Amino acid sequence: MNKDKVVKVFKILRDADPEPVTELAFKSHFQLLIAVILSAQATDKSVNAATSKLFKDAPSPEKIFKLGVRKLKSYIKTIGLYNAKAGNVIATSEIIWKQYKNKIPQTYNELIKLPGIGDYTAKAILGIGFNKSVMPLDANIERILVRLHAIDKPINK
């Protein structure tokens, strides 16, 4: 996507929703990171239902890591793909706790190295959590942008 099209897309989105917010419920950058990992192929409503109890009982990387995969699954079993997500959340929690001293990385390149974090997830965390100017694009957004003639074809294909 060239610069003119990027500017056009941002203008369209800004005009439509000048102050966008996520529907995910979180109280820290870490909780946002976990909620975004869990949100893949799931609704924000289902993620919020699961994380409301999870974050009450285990609000930090250390506490989620110490739950272990089996116990974590009991919190998130209503979310699609929970088996794979549980492993990623435990592994990411350990890395954030031990390597990053409970601080969430604030760069794209660091974030995508974490288990369960891809392009969309990293950009969502940077944009929502750290107010960075990024544009996470999933397939649905790309289809809308094509219809608006903001892009010629989907970017990730």
Side-chain angles (χ1 to χ4, degrees), residues 33 36-37 39-40 111-112 116-126 136:
L33 179 132
V36 174
I37 290 173
S39 72
L111 284 169
I112 61 170
I117 303 290
D119 178 76
Y120 177 86
T121 309
K123 288 178 180 175
I125 293 162
L126 292 171

Side-chain angles (χ1 to χ4, degrees), residues 20-153:
V21 294
T22 182
E23 293 182 17
L24 293 172
F26 62 95
K27 293 182 179 173
S28 69
H29 289 120
F30 172 71
Q31 289 180 4
L32 171 64
L33 179 132
I34 298 305
V36 174
I37 290 173
L38 295 175
S39 72
Q41 303 295 314
T43 65
D44 290 351
K45 183 178 179 181
S46 69
V47 172
N48 289 340
T51 58
S52 65
K53 175 110 173 77
L54 172 63
F55 292 159
K56 181 180 177 195
D57 295 346
S60 68
E62 178 182 2
K63 289 187 178 187
I64 287 186
F65 173 72
K66 288 184 175 180
L67 286 175
V69 171
R70 176 190 270 166
K71 181 73 174 168
L72 177 60
K73 285 181 184 181
S74 71
Y75 286 93
I76 65 169
K77 64 186 173 191
T78 58
I79 299 173
L81 306 173
Y82 75 94
N83 285 311
K85 290 176 184 180
N88 287 333
V89 166
I90 293 298
T92 291
S93 295
E94 181 179 25
I95 293 166
I96 297 298
W97 172 39
K98 293 180 177 178
Q99 292 179 24
Y100 287 98
K101 310 293 185 224
N102 297 319
K103 302 289 184 202
I104 304 304
Q106 294 187 40
T107 69
Y108 176 85
N109 288 333
E110 287 177 295
L111 284 169
I112 61 170
K113 292 177 186 174
L114 297 170
I117 303 290
D119 178 76
Y120 177 86
T121 309
K123 288 178 180 175
I125 293 162
L126 292 171
I128 297 164
F130 299 105
N131 202 29
K132 305 262 181 168
S133 294
V134 293
M135 184 182 288
L137 292 176
D138 69 5
N140 296 315
I141 299 292
E142 286 185 345
R143 280 194 288 275
I144 292 167
L145 294 175
V146 169
R147 288 184 185 164
L148 292 172
H149 305 288
I151 60 175
D152 298 322
K153 61 183 179 177

